[in-house]
Amino acid sequence: DGGITQSPKYLFRKEGQNVTLSCEQNLNHDAMYWYRQDPGQGLRLIYYSQIVNDFQKGDIAEGYSVSREKKESFPLTVTSAQKNPTAFYLCASRPPGRTYNEQFFGPGTRLTVL
Amino acid sequence: SQQGEEDPQALSIQEGENATMNCSYKTSINNLQWYRQNSGRGLVHLILIRSNEREKHSGRLRVTLDTSKKSSSLLITASRAADTASYFCATSTPGSGNTGKLIFGQGTTLQVKP
């Protein structure tokens, strides 16, 4: 899982509540990404950030929000507007430079809406 | 959007046998990567092959790329029970610029029986 930590590992939420998932990296990477994974599916990109104080929507940003106030941290908030939030959430980061494209992943947070 | 489709969706083999999984994609790529995911964990990068490469090796892994057919294959030789995991292909496209965005396939679940 490299130098990326995600917390908590398991998260339970009642419908209508916002919840924030933590992602921290000590790899000095500029770019960070949030993905959602549903059972038996691949990863879908929610948001990404290439630099502090800047972030872009991915393919499924509706109902989610992010911030990037520090290079090391890229928290994801799942809002009550997200209709089906139960999923496995993965955070990743990428080293700087054009030619290096590998992403390093955290261990994930499993969110269950009760 | 899902660019990659993997085949088969599930594969079960005996220890010592070779495992082959395939990935097809739809648009032109800069590179194609393979990742491994153990159950309930984050993804781990295995190997990257650039669009101008045809074959690449890393230990017991062999990756081929056929850009004319828009397909790639991952071969794991002499499989071990510890190779049991899901394997995902991910593509980087020219349209992603310098964002490092990847598009993941749906994955192949490999079970290696001792």
Side-chain angles (χ1 to χ4, degrees):
Chain A
D1 297 330
I4 302 179
T5 58
Q6 291 185 243
S7 61
K9 184 167 180 157
Y10 298 98
L11 190 56
F12 297 90
R13 181 195 103 174
K14 293 182 179 179
E15 277 194 45
Q17 289 182 336
N18 292 355
V19 64
T20 297
L21 282 59
S22 168
C23 176
E24 304 278 332
Q25 54 101 358
N26 62 2
L27 301 169
N28 200 33
H29 290 174
D30 289 318
M32 297 185 74
Y33 308 83
W34 272 107
Y35 295 93
R36 170 185 173 134
Q37 185 178 30
D38 292 286
Q41 302 293 313
L43 279 64
R44 292 185 290 169
L45 182 64
I46 304 172
Y47 267 98
Y48 64 100
S49 168
Q50 294 181 264
I51 198 168
V52 174
N53 292 323
D54 184 62
F55 48 83
Q56 307 295 330
K57 292 181 178 180
D59 299 319
I60 56 166
E62 185 174 352
Y64 300 98
S65 66
V66 293
S67 63
R68 187 83 188 278
E69 297 176 2
K70 299 187 300 181
K71 188 175 188 177
E72 302 80 16
S73 179
F74 191 39
L76 173 75
T77 296
V78 184
T79 75
S80 56
Q82 169 51 235
K83 297 305 178 190
N84 185 21
T86 294
F88 189 50
Y89 291 88
L90 287 158
C91 178
S93 68
R94 182 177 68 97
R98 282 178 171 272
T99 59
Y100 204 82
N101 211 212
E102 169 188 341
Q103 292 186 12
F104 294 76
F105 282 81
T109 292
R110 188 167 299 279
L111 173 64
T112 302
V113 174
L114 304 173
Chain B
S1 59
Q2 297 289 338
Q3 148 115 297
E5 295 200 2
E6 296 183 60
D7 168 58
Q9 289 189 356
L11 181 59
S12 182
I13 59 174
Q14 294 293 135
E15 212 166 19
E17 294 180 340
N18 294 343
T20 300
M21 50 205 89
N22 304 295
C23 170
S24 60
Y25 56 91
K26 298 174 185 172
T27 65
S28 62
I29 61 171
N30 291 330
N31 63 67
L32 185 144
Q33 304 174 35
W34 286 90
Y35 288 80
R36 165 194 169 126
Q37 182 181 36
N38 287 76
S39 181
R41 304 294 299 274
L43 277 69
V44 175
H45 182 265
L46 295 176
I47 195 166
L48 179 152
I49 187 165
R50 301 191 189 285
S51 59
N52 61 353
E53 297 176 313
R54 291 297 165 258
E55 187 171 312
K56 207 160 182 182
H57 297 255
S58 177
R60 292 185 296 113
L61 305 180
R62 173 179 166 248
V63 170
T64 61
L65 179 65
D66 187 335
T67 52
S68 66
K69 294 181 180 178
K70 292 187 170 57
S71 68
S72 174
S73 67
L74 171 68
L75 168 68
I76 304 173
T77 60
S79 63
R80 306 166 181 166
D83 294 327
T84 295
S86 293
Y87 293 82
F88 294 89
C89 66
T91 53
S92 169
T93 66
S96 65
N98 194 32
T99 65
K101 287 171 61 178
L102 296 176
I103 303 174
F104 285 83
Q106 308 225 353
T108 292
T109 299
L110 172 65
Q111 181 185 32
V112 182
K113 299 176 184 176

